[in-house]
Amino acid sequence: MAQDDPVVSAQWLHQHLGAPDVKVLDASWYMPVENRDPWEEYQVAHIPGALFFDIDGIVDRTTDLPHMLPSEEAFAAAVSALHIKNQDKVIVYDGKGFFSAPRVWWMFRVFGHNKVWVLDGGLPQWRASGFDLGSASPDDAVLKSKTATKAVERVYNGEQTNTITFKTEFQPHLFWTLEKVSHNVAAKNYQQVDARSKGRFDGVAPEPREGVRSGHIPGSKCVPFPEMFDGAPRLLSADELRQKFQQAGISLDHPIVVSCGSGVTACILALGLYRIGKHDVPVYDGSWTEWEAQSDSDYPKATTTAS
């Protein structure tokens, strides 16, 4: 495990599983069209000792946009309910290998906790390594996970929450809003990189969310998130990752901001960029789902056919 690398191997986690300062989170989440229930899957099979982190529950309750970053108070309440402390090493994984876990890695970093890593290859790599899975969910684990989501609700309802044992320190440079992106479209200080598929980016393939057109933010470049890992899946080497970005016409010497459909897979690009030494890459939280819903006159949309 290295502070300057964003992932740990299944072997490392297996050796350190059960250490009092190592906390493991199952952050599995799936697109609505996949019809998979990550909470049910967690209860059937998970890394022993892992708690479930609900990406759709530990969210900003004041917006209709999907799984937006919660307030500092709400995040602190949720993480405290999961019995995670500031001195703990947090290891996050998901059921696909590299999909939703990087989102939670980014969330911890946005709130000032840098002792966080993604399990390289997630549950598929854990299984492929032949390591045991927990099949029963202890009542205590289920309770903690449910209490975490409930704690967020209580904060937004202005109610008393559990004791806060996790201190947050918001890092605004890692979190971009609609206004920041809009300003950047004109100023072009940051290179905007989109993690969605080329078809969605170009405006020729449909978006998975009903009522959302495809296309992209003007001036963006496309690096589909699966380009960050191999077939195992494992995160590519720093040299291979550099090549992927350079091939897309992105200068690694200049600032980058990442986005996607709703702020999840953009974090996979942030993870890849972290490995090559770019540790301060912001994520546009609302991403295309938010941008597309704004008026075309104020927030222009681009496609390959008419940009």
Side-chain angles (χ1 to χ4, degrees):
M1 143 180 292
Q3 194 68 56
D4 60 353
D5 199 36
V7 297
V8 295
S9 68
Q11 285 71 20
W12 185 93
L13 182 56
H14 186 251
Q15 284 165 8
H16 293 86
L17 207 58
D21 66 340
V22 173
K23 303 290 169 71
V24 185
L25 296 176
D26 181 329
S28 299
W29 174 86
Y30 302 102
M31 294 296 290
V33 292
E34 293 179 87
N35 290 321
R36 289 179 67 175
D37 185 333
W39 171 243
E40 267 182 24
E41 290 184 23
Y42 161 78
Q43 291 176 88
V44 170
H46 54 264
I47 292 174
L51 295 178
F52 184 73
F53 186 104
D54 185 358
I55 281 183
D56 279 335
I58 301 171
V59 295
D60 178 358
R61 300 292 174 103
T62 66
T63 176
D64 291 336
L65 290 166
H67 40 251
M68 293 294 94
L69 192 74
S71 67
E72 278 192 82
E73 191 188 348
F75 187 80
V79 172
S80 298
L82 293 168
H83 289 209
I84 293 170
K85 299 183 176 62
N86 292 87
Q87 62 268 31
D88 288 337
K89 300 177 183 77
V90 179
I91 314 297
V92 195
Y93 74 89
D94 64 52
K96 284 189 169 182
F98 284 107
F99 192 58
S100 50
R103 168 75 186 185
V104 176
W105 167 83
W106 172 77
M107 288 172 77
F108 271 93
R109 292 178 57 248
V110 167
F111 289 120
H113 188 81
N114 290 322
K115 291 192 282 284
V116 59
W117 292 264
V118 170
L119 177 62
D120 199 6
L123 201 57
Q125 267 305 300
W126 183 266
R127 287 180 191 272
S129 304
F131 299 138
D132 290 343
L133 286 167
S135 55
S137 298
D139 291 345
D140 177 50
V142 169
L143 183 65
K144 282 178 187 170
S145 298
K146 288 191 167 175
T147 304
T149 302
K150 193 78 186 155
V152 174
E153 210 174 292
R154 293 176 75 87
V155 166
Y156 281 101
N157 288 341
E159 297 167 20
Q160 187 70 37
T161 61
N162 50 309
T163 309
I164 305 294
T165 54
F166 183 87
K167 305 251 184 310
T168 55
E169 196 176 326
F170 184 58
Q171 307 294 309
H173 65 286
L174 295 176
F175 170 82
W176 271 33
T177 58
L178 177 72
E179 291 70 30
K180 277 192 173 177
V181 175
S182 181
H183 177 263
N184 188 64
V185 168
K188 297 181 172 61
N189 294 325
Y190 279 68
Q191 301 164 96
Q192 178 96 27
V193 186
D194 192 318
R196 290 174 302 146
S197 68
K198 194 81 172 69
R200 289 167 64 187
F201 180 87
D202 288 343
V204 296
E207 286 293 309
R209 288 180 177 81
E210 206 173 320
V212 180
R213 298 165 292 174
S214 55
H216 59 267
I217 297 164
S220 302
K221 298 231 166 67
C222 179
V223 178
F225 73 85
E227 302 214 346
M228 297 296 98
F229 45 87
D230 63 20
R234 272 195 291 261
L235 192 62
L236 296 181
S237 70
D239 285 344
E240 290 170 307
L241 289 165
R242 275 189 203 96
Q243 209 175 350
K244 295 285 187 184
F245 286 103
Q246 286 161 349
Q247 283 168 349
I250 293 145
S251 165
L252 295 172
D253 298 327
H254 292 92
I256 293 169
V257 56
V258 291
S259 67
C260 55
S262 62
V264 174
T265 60
C267 301
I268 304 171
L269 298 190
L271 191 82
L273 287 161
Y274 194 100
R275 172 164 267 187
I276 58 181
K278 292 189 78 70
H279 295 175
D280 290 329
V281 173
V283 170
Y284 169 27
D285 199 29
S287 280
W288 181 249
T289 302
E290 179 178 42
W291 186 272
E292 188 277 335
Q294 311 305 312
S295 73
D296 290 357
S297 53
D298 294 329
Y299 301 89
K301 323 298 185 289
T303 62
T304 45
T305 47
S307 54

